[in-house]
């Protein structure tokens, strides 16, 4: 491969068709990178290739040709309808189940036998083997052209061997066992596994689609002093648009008129709204909480912060190396060896005995004993039982490749807001001035704040209701944007807000309150001062609280051998206070949303295998970049779709359970694969010697399958640490 000159490089994305496993992606990638001036990355999960190429050296048609030469199809992204891999597999799977169920009953239950039942078995198995299982045969042919063997080769050889032998026996009238049900069951079980895998892979692109759905659809653009509603796509840099309370900001821009509080939690994950006024920069998709704003667009379309986050998710997903399945790695050696042994057995028996029937029986026995029925069950059964148990515990595992990643994790990065903390504002302390009645203070301040929509005000109002019950109506309510509120409650003048607002009215905090104010602010908490009838009355301390189970979860993560790191866009003081309470030593604070994935990447470059736990839109790129992404299910759909594991409960202890369950499931799969191979390998010499006829071989294979299923079912006994608590 020749390095691409930066000034000449062009980039394209190709939609790929025909890939069935990670080795397919590797083969296409290798073919593309052999072209001069091409750098390509193929993503099996999304059926895409990201290609950078030198147009002076190769053309897009050359890229298509390389993909075709590898045995697959390509089209420029967006120019062809992407194949519905899940839908195609579902159709084949349903047909296979419908045909295989009566096939198994007919062949395995003697009372159901009737004259000519063997021909019915042939009729039922043929479409299962050749139509439902066509993807395996096609992939096996492609692999064979390139001198490779994978799981598809095992499936193809196994099903064809069983079906061909049985058909020969039936048509020729040979007195021997037939194995039509073996062929049907193998194809059906492997299709089931592929269907589950394809379903998980198809969701990887939903993260980006969910991101783009967050943005506003229209904007109220000012044209000659009038507000004109236009689609977001028609906005251009320099347009001025109006954002009313409760509306989303249409695109990135700068406030030119008005002041308000903006809910930026969808982008930053932080619960406290940010106060903005003329001259401040704002990002699209933020929600205007209070005042009317006029904003001048500074970035539109692909240049916005939201679009940039979407690109980061896409790049992180595309940059993940295709995962080489364990079965494929073993099959690459095992399958050619078995086929070679089978052929050698056939030739050996013919040379030594001249008995064609005995030679063919022994050769087929070798293939059938090596047939991948148990191998096909090894991953899907353990995955189904493990994921089913996980669902009961509030853990969603997206695919088998995630299991391998959990075993290697060394560091776990935790988003602060909504992950370690509750993600909502609460009154954590109340300090009343000397001589002030506490209940009266709560009643008057709570009633005043109840008239405001600000999250801090809502926290104080909620606290007041929990303490004293119903609140009173207010008169003369005024909202001083960025400072606080004032009103008259039951004849008392109440002012609530920043100390600066009280200072405007000639009120200073008394020494004891000033000391308390400084102490609480040093911990990164928000402190609101209150004055009643012209006298400072007290302080309300508002903060995001740590979840009740977070400290326990952190200790459990350490017990798994992981190093926890707290990552947040919040300030150092607030982050350190939460970290100390949770038992986390490493803190990375003041991180911009777009930089979170860069932090994960830096840790990876230092040799760490990183897991990331988060819940916000801003966490999505980091979740995708991490070796293992865990999304808190109470967070955004974007974070959930970009992750590998989803924790539905929102309890951080579920992250511990998820890693434990994933590791246990991986151990089960590896144990299944070992015994699936062990039974076959141990019996192959007997088959070669003619001591194992195909019927006994099928029985041994069935026994290995029963063992694999039984071993997988043990995962149902997995216990959560939360259950134990």
């Amino acid at each position: 491969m020749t390095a691409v000159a930066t000034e000449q490089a062009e980039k394209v994305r190709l939609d790929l068709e025909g890939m069935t496993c990670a080795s397919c992606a590797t083969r296409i990638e290798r073919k593309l990178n052999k072209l001069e001036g091409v750098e390509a990355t193929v993503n099996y999960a999304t059926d895409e290739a990201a290609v950078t190429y030198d147009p002076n050296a190769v053309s897009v048609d050359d890229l298509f040709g390389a993909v075709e030469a590898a045995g697959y199809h390509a089209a420029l992204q967006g120019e062809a309808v992407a194949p519905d891999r899940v839908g195609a597999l579902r159709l084949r799977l349903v047909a296979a189940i419908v045909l295989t169920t009566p096939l198994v009953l007919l062949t395995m239950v003697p009372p159901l036998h009737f004259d000519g039942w063997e021909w019915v078995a042939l009729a039922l198995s043929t479409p299962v083997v050749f139509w439902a299982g066509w993807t395996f045969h096609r992939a096996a042919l492609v692999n064979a052209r390139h001198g490779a063997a994978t799981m598809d080769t095992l499936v193809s050889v196994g099903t064809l061997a069983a079906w061909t032998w049985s058909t020969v026996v039936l048509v020729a009238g040979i007195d021997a066992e037939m194995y039509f049900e073996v062929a049907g069951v193998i194809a059906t079980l492997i299709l089931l596994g592929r269907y589950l895998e394809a379903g998980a892979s198809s969701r990887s692109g939903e993260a980006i689609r969910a991101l783009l759905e967050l943005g506003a659809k229209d904007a109220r653009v000012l044209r000659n002093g009038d507000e004109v509603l236009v689609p977001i796509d028609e906005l251009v840099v320099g347009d001025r648009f109006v954002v009313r309370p409760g509306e989303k900001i249409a695109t990135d821009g700068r406030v030119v008129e008005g002041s308000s509080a903006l809910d930026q939690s969808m982008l930053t994950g932080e619960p406290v709204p940010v106060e903005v006024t003329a001259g401040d920069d704002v990002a699209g998709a933020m929600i205007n909480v209070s005042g009317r704003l006029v904003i001048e667009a500074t970035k539109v379309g692909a240049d916005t912060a939201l679009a940039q986050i979407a690109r980061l998710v896409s790049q992180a997903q595309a940059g993940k190396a295709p995962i080489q399945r364990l079965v494929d790695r073993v099959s690459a050696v095992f399958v050619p060896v078995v086929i070679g042994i089978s052929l050698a057995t056939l030739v050996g028996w013919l040379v030594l005995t001249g008995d064609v029937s005995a030679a063919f029986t022994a050769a087929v026995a070798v293939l059938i004993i090596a047939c991948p029925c148990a191998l096909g069950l090894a991953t899907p059964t353990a995955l189904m039982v493990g994921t089913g148990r996980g669902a009961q515990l509030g853990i969603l595992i997206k695919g088998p490749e995630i299991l391998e990643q959990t075993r290697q994790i060394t560091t776990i990065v935790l988003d602060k807001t909504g992950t370690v903390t509750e993600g909502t504002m609460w009154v954590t302390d109340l300090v009343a001035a000397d001589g002030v009645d506490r209940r009266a203070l709560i009643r008057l301040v709570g009633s005043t704040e109840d008239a405001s929509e600000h999250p801090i005000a809502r926290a104080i109002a909620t606290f007041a209701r929990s303490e004293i019950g119903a609140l009173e109506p207010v008169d003369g309510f005024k909202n001083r944007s960025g400072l606080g509120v004032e009103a008259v409650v039951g004849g008392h003048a109440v002012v609530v807000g920043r100390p600066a607002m009280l200072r405007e009215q000639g009120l200073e905090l008394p020494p004891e309150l000033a000391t308390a104010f400084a102490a609480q602010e040093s911990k990164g908490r928000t402190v609101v001062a209150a004055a009643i009838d012209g006298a400072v009355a007290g302080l309300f301390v508002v903060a995001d609280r740590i979840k009740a189970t977070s400290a326990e979860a952190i200790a459990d993560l350490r017990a798994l051998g992981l190093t926890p790191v707290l990552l947040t866009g919040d300030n150092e003081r607030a982050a350190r206070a939460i970290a100390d309470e949770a038992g986390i030593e490493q803190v990375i604070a003041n991180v911009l949303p777009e930089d979170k994935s860069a932090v994960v990447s830096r840790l990876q470059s230092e040799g760490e295998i990183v897991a990331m736990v988060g819940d916000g839109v801003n966490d999505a790129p980091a979740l995708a970049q991490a070796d293992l992404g865990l999304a808190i299910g109470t967070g955004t759909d974007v974070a959930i779709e970009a992750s590998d594991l989803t924790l539905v409960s929102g309890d951080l202890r579920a992250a511990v359970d998820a890693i434990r369950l994933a590791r246990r499931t991986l151990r089960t799969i590896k144990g299944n694969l070992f015994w699936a191979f062990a039974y076959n390998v141990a019996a192959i010499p007997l088959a070669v010697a003619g001591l194992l006829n195909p019927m006994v071989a099928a029985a041994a294979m069935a026994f290995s399958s029963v063992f694999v299923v039984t071993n997988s079912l043990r995962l149902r006994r997995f216990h959560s640490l939360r259950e134990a608590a």
Side-chain angles (χ1 to χ4, degrees):
M1 179 183 67
T2 305
V4 181
T6 304
E7 65 275 7
Q8 298 176 330
E10 292 189 9
K11 296 182 178 181
V12 295
R13 284 187 175 270
L14 306 179
D15 286 327
L16 303 175
E17 183 180 355
M19 293 195 297
T20 59
C21 63
S23 60
C24 298
T26 302
R27 186 169 300 116
I28 296 172
E29 189 172 289
R30 194 160 48 237
K31 280 283 188 183
L32 286 170
N33 284 325
K34 283 182 179 179
L35 297 175
E36 182 180 354
V38 172
E39 292 179 3
T41 301
V42 176
N43 189 341
Y44 168 60
T46 57
D47 286 319
E48 291 178 5
V51 184
T52 302
Y53 70 100
D54 179 358
N56 295 322
V58 296
S59 66
V60 173
D61 286 339
D62 293 328
L63 303 179
F64 293 161
V67 175
E68 295 285 342
Y72 307 90
H73 301 290
L76 285 176
Q77 196 167 71
E79 289 191 359
V81 178
D84 182 7
R85 197 201 311 179
V86 177
L89 281 171
R90 184 190 299 117
L91 180 62
R92 293 179 187 272
L93 176 61
V94 169
I97 291 173
V98 168
L99 294 171
T100 301
T101 301
L103 172 64
V104 171
L105 292 174
L106 182 62
T107 54
M108 301 298 291
V109 181
L112 296 179
H113 290 175
F114 53 85
D115 289 340
W117 67 267
E118 300 93 336
W119 294 97
V120 176
L122 171 61
L124 290 170
S125 64
T126 299
V128 175
V129 172
F130 290 97
W131 180 77
W134 168 244
T135 54
F136 307 131
H137 306 315
R138 179 189 178 280
L141 289 172
V142 172
N143 291 327
R145 281 175 48 202
H146 295 87
T150 66
M151 183 67 174
D152 291 307
T153 310
L154 280 171
V155 178
S156 180
V157 170
T159 54
L160 289 177
W163 183 90
T164 302
W165 167 257
S166 302
T167 302
V168 169
V169 168
L170 177 60
V171 173
I174 301 172
D175 185 15
E177 292 291 330
M178 289 175 287
Y179 308 103
F180 289 118
E181 78 283 1
V182 171
V185 168
I186 292 172
T188 302
L189 290 173
I190 305 300
L191 275 171
L192 175 61
R194 288 290 167 83
Y195 173 72
L196 294 173
E197 178 185 287
S201 297
S202 69
R203 290 195 296 269
S204 60
E206 293 181 14
I208 299 171
R209 289 191 290 275
L211 268 173
L212 299 178
E213 285 295 315
L214 283 178
K217 302 298 184 292
D218 302 293
R220 301 178 188 276
V221 179
L222 289 174
R223 299 272 168 84
N224 299 320
D226 296 326
E227 295 181 16
V228 180
L229 194 65
V230 302
I232 193 70
D233 294 339
E234 295 182 14
L235 269 182
V236 297
V237 173
D239 275 346
R240 293 192 173 191
F241 57 94
V242 175
V243 185
R244 297 172 179 172
E247 294 180 343
K248 290 181 181 179
I249 293 177
T251 192
D252 295 3
R254 183 172 293 111
V255 178
V256 295
E257 183 183 318
S259 60
S260 180
L262 297 183
D263 179 356
Q264 55 180 356
S265 59
M266 284 197 301
L267 288 177
T268 67
E270 302 302 330
V272 181
V274 60
E275 302 286 348
V276 297
T277 187
D280 290 337
D281 292 326
V282 295
M286 290 182 176
I287 298 176
N288 183 14
V289 175
S290 50
R292 177 182 183 272
L293 296 174
V294 177
I295 298 172
E296 181 177 312
T298 56
K299 294 179 180 178
V300 296
D303 297 327
T304 64
L306 188 64
Q308 184 180 11
I309 292 175
R311 279 198 303 274
L312 287 171
V313 175
S314 178
Q315 290 166 6
Q317 288 180 341
K320 287 184 177 178
I323 297 167
Q324 184 66 45
R325 298 286 190 265
L326 177 63
V327 173
D328 281 344
R329 292 200 296 269
V330 177
S331 300
V333 176
F334 182 73
V335 176
V337 168
V338 168
I339 293 174
I341 292 173
S342 178
L343 291 174
T345 301
L346 178 65
V347 173
W349 274 84
L350 288 174
V351 170
L352 294 175
T353 68
D355 188 336
V356 176
S357 178
F360 190 71
T361 299
V364 170
V366 170
L367 287 175
I368 291 181
I369 195 60
C371 199
C373 189
L375 288 176
L377 284 168
T379 297
T381 55
L383 186 63
M384 282 189 291
V385 177
T387 53
R389 180 60 181 144
Q392 292 176 334
L393 301 174
I395 301 164
L396 304 180
I397 303 173
K398 286 197 174 180
E401 67 275 7
I402 282 78
L403 309 177
E404 184 73 35
Q405 293 157 3
T406 62
R407 182 179 59 84
Q408 303 165 343
I409 297 302
T410 59
T411 297
I412 184 162
V413 176
L414 304 165
D415 171 58
K416 179 179 75 70
T417 306
T419 301
V420 177
T421 66
E422 293 181 354
T424 54
M425 305 301 291
W426 299 90
V427 174
T428 59
D429 204 359
L430 168 61
V431 183
D434 292 341
V436 175
D437 180 73
R438 187 176 186 274
R439 286 185 61 83
L441 174 63
I442 294 173
R443 176 175 56 83
L444 294 173
V445 173
S447 298
T448 301
E449 293 285 50
D450 192 39
S452 172
E453 291 299 320
H454 197 284
I456 292 177
R458 287 199 296 269
I460 294 175
T462 300
F463 168 73
R465 283 196 185 86
S466 68
E467 291 285 315
I468 64 172
L471 301 177
E472 298 183 26
V474 303
D475 296 315
F477 177 82
K478 293 181 182 178
N479 180 13
R480 299 278 304 280
S481 183
L483 290 174
V485 297
E486 54 186 284
V488 176
V489 184
H492 297 280
V494 182
V495 179
V496 188
R498 298 172 183 258
M501 185 173 177
L502 274 63
R503 203 172 296 121
E504 285 183 359
Q505 302 185 17
L507 301 175
E508 293 289 344
L509 298 181
E512 71 275 11
L513 292 187
T515 301
F517 187 95
Q520 294 292 346
E521 275 212 325
S522 69
K523 298 177 182 178
R525 294 170 180 168
T526 301
V527 187
V528 176
I532 299 173
D533 294 329
V536 178
L539 303 175
F540 287 77
V541 182
V542 181
D544 185 10
R545 298 188 304 195
I546 186 173
K547 291 180 180 178
T549 58
S550 288
E552 178 188 341
I554 300 301
D556 290 336
L557 289 170
R558 289 185 185 279
L560 289 174
L562 307 179
T563 301
V565 176
L566 188 67
L567 179 66
T568 180
D570 213 341
N571 63 73
E572 182 76 31
R573 290 183 305 175
R576 176 52 62 184
I578 293 295
D580 290 343
E581 193 174 350
I584 301 174
E585 296 177 2
Q586 295 188 38
V587 176
I588 304 176
N590 297 306
V591 179
L592 296 174
E594 61 268 24
D595 292 338
K596 287 192 173 184
S597 62
V599 170
V600 173
S601 181
R602 175 173 58 80
L603 290 170
Q604 290 170 326
S605 69
E606 294 171 357
E608 301 294 333
I609 310 298
V610 181
M612 169 74 189
V613 186
D615 72 327
V617 172
N618 62 308
D619 299 323
L623 288 167
Q625 175 65 41
D627 299 284
L628 179 71
L630 298 91
I632 297 293
T634 50
T636 65
D637 290 342
V638 180
I640 293 169
E641 294 302 337
S643 68
D644 302 308
L645 290 164
T646 298
L647 315 177
V648 177
S649 69
D651 187 338
L652 190 56
R653 290 179 301 175
V656 183
D657 289 334
I659 293 172
R660 290 176 56 242
L661 176 60
R663 289 179 175 179
R664 179 81 60 83
T665 305
L666 177 64
R667 287 199 300 271
T668 301
I669 289 174
K670 288 186 173 181
N672 287 348
L673 294 174
F674 171 79
W675 287 109
F677 277 115
Y679 282 117
N680 295 344
V681 171
I684 284 175
L686 299 177
V688 171
L691 302 176
L692 186 68
N693 65 40
M695 183 178 65
V696 177
M701 184 178 61
F703 177 72
S704 68
S705 299
V706 170
F707 175 85
V708 163
V709 172
T710 304
N711 191 41
S712 297
L713 290 175
R714 293 170 57 235
L715 286 167
R716 292 190 299 184
R717 299 201 295 268
F718 175 86
H719 287 292
S720 163
L721 294 177
R722 290 168 288 161
E723 291 178 327

